[in-house]
Amino acid sequence: KVWFLLTSCEQTGIRQYKEDARLFLFIKENFMLERTISRKVVEWLYGHGIIERSESNIYVYAYELLISSTISIFLILIASCVCGNIWYSLAFLLGFIPLRIYLGGYHASSHFNCYLAFLSVFLASVVLSYQIVATYGFRLITTCLLFIIAFLYAPVEAKNKRLPTEKKRKYRHISICLTGFDVILAAIDILPLSRFITIYYFSKWALIIFAVIPCLTRKFQRWTRFSFWGTVFKNQKKGEKMKKIIYWLSKLTCVVAM
């Protein structure tokens, strides 16, 4: 009876977990603003014979990305107006977006987290621009560090966004060219010393942070995996020693008993 109750409770728990997971996926699929709008757009395009039914999923994903990117830029523009100058947003977006596309890096697990991260780094750049000035040395260090990251790791793949091999090669070459251009721009020192330029270079630090996060995450996962298997191997060796000790003790006991 006890075994039957435990089994039924376990099955009920698994069933409840599966139902909760289905409900979560249903909410995620149907109540995300970006996905809902993109689906309606695709349905309209299909209804007018502009696209094929087989291509609908690709278009839904593409329009979803377009809508989320537009919302992100719109939020930055609003935040820039609140900070008192629309040019702050333009300086940040000009430094961030072109290289972000090809360099890659951290991608949030949801659109809301993406908006939050993007808005946070922008506001941090504006606040820091009041405390720090982008001097010649600051610009050169920033751009050289970004070039090294691009040369060694670009494109930096996030766990939730993988790229095919052909795109990797293309994105790598473009990111190296863009970061190289930034290094030259910083080296010849033709940009004026102003808050807008400081925000521009802080956007480069946002790129550095976003690029470093996946690299550190992967290294940490490898280290934990290595340490886990190392522990297992040590425990296995200890187990084998204990088996040998027990074996020889049993032999000794048999000899004494005889």
Side-chain angles (χ1 to χ4, degrees):
K1 285 181 179 180
V2 173
W3 177 81
F4 175 74
L5 285 170
L6 287 171
T7 308
S8 61
C9 286
E10 188 180 352
Q11 287 175 352
T12 306
I14 292 167
R15 201 180 300 116
Q16 185 63 41
Y17 174 77
K18 285 181 178 178
E19 286 175 4
D20 291 343
R22 285 197 201 98
L23 180 62
F24 174 75
L25 288 171
F26 176 78
I27 292 168
K28 189 177 178 182
E29 289 291 323
N30 295 282
F31 291 93
M32 284 174 62
L33 176 66
E34 301 85 3
R35 191 159 295 174
T36 305
I37 295 170
S38 63
R39 278 179 175 167
K40 286 182 178 179
V41 171
V42 170
E43 282 173 11
W44 184 86
L45 292 172
Y46 174 72
H48 286 75
I50 298 170
I51 62 170
E52 298 292 332
R53 174 62 74 183
S54 58
E55 299 174 330
S56 59
N57 288 334
I58 298 168
Y59 278 97
V60 166
Y61 178 70
Y63 278 111
E64 187 180 338
L65 288 181
L66 179 64
I67 291 163
S68 66
S69 301
T70 305
I71 292 171
S72 297
I73 293 169
F74 187 65
L75 287 171
I76 297 297
L77 291 170
I78 292 172
S80 184
C81 291
V82 171
C83 291
N85 199 320
I86 191 69
W87 293 105
Y88 292 163
S89 62
L90 298 177
F92 181 85
L93 294 172
L94 184 64
F96 187 88
I97 290 177
L99 192 52
R100 169 67 171 165
I101 294 167
Y102 300 104
L103 183 64
Y106 169 76
H107 280 274
S109 56
S110 66
H111 292 304
F112 177 77
N113 291 341
C114 181
Y115 304 146
L116 195 62
F118 197 39
L119 196 57
S120 299
V121 293
F122 169 71
L123 292 173
S125 300
V126 173
V127 171
L128 289 170
S129 69
Y130 283 89
Q131 307 297 325
I132 300 168
V133 179
T135 58
Y136 178 77
F138 179 85
R139 299 178 192 188
L140 206 57
I141 290 168
T142 302
T143 52
C144 285
L145 189 57
L146 200 54
F147 178 79
I148 291 166
I149 290 170
F151 186 79
L152 294 176
Y153 301 110
V156 181
E157 286 187 294
K159 196 175 181 180
N160 53 345
K161 191 170 183 181
R162 301 292 183 182
L163 294 170
T165 308
E166 289 179 5
K167 270 194 174 182
K168 279 183 186 178
R169 289 200 198 106
K170 180 184 174 183
Y171 282 19
R172 174 179 165 77
H173 293 149
I174 294 172
S175 60
I176 288 171
C177 290
L178 289 173
T179 51
F181 175 76
D182 272 331
V183 171
I184 294 167
L185 201 64
I188 59 179
D189 197 21
I190 59 169
L191 295 175
L193 202 64
S194 66
R195 181 163 291 120
F196 307 115
I197 300 303
T198 302
I199 292 170
Y200 172 85
Y201 280 101
F202 272 121
S203 73
K204 303 298 179 185
W205 275 102
L207 288 166
I208 291 168
I209 292 165
F210 283 168
V212 165
I213 288 171
C215 297
L216 291 177
T217 305
R218 279 196 290 270
K219 284 189 177 180
F220 178 74
Q221 286 173 348
R222 283 175 195 164
W223 179 80
T224 51
R225 202 180 299 126
F226 176 76
S227 61
F228 169 75
W229 286 114
T231 309
V232 169
F233 181 69
K234 282 179 184 176
N235 292 338
Q236 205 172 21
K237 286 185 82 175
K238 284 180 183 177
E240 286 172 3
K241 283 181 182 178
M242 286 299 295
K243 281 179 184 177
K244 285 181 180 179
I245 291 166
I246 292 165
Y247 172 76
W248 286 110
L249 281 173
S250 62
K251 284 274 188 185
L252 184 62
T253 307
C254 290
V255 169
V256 171
M258 288 170 65

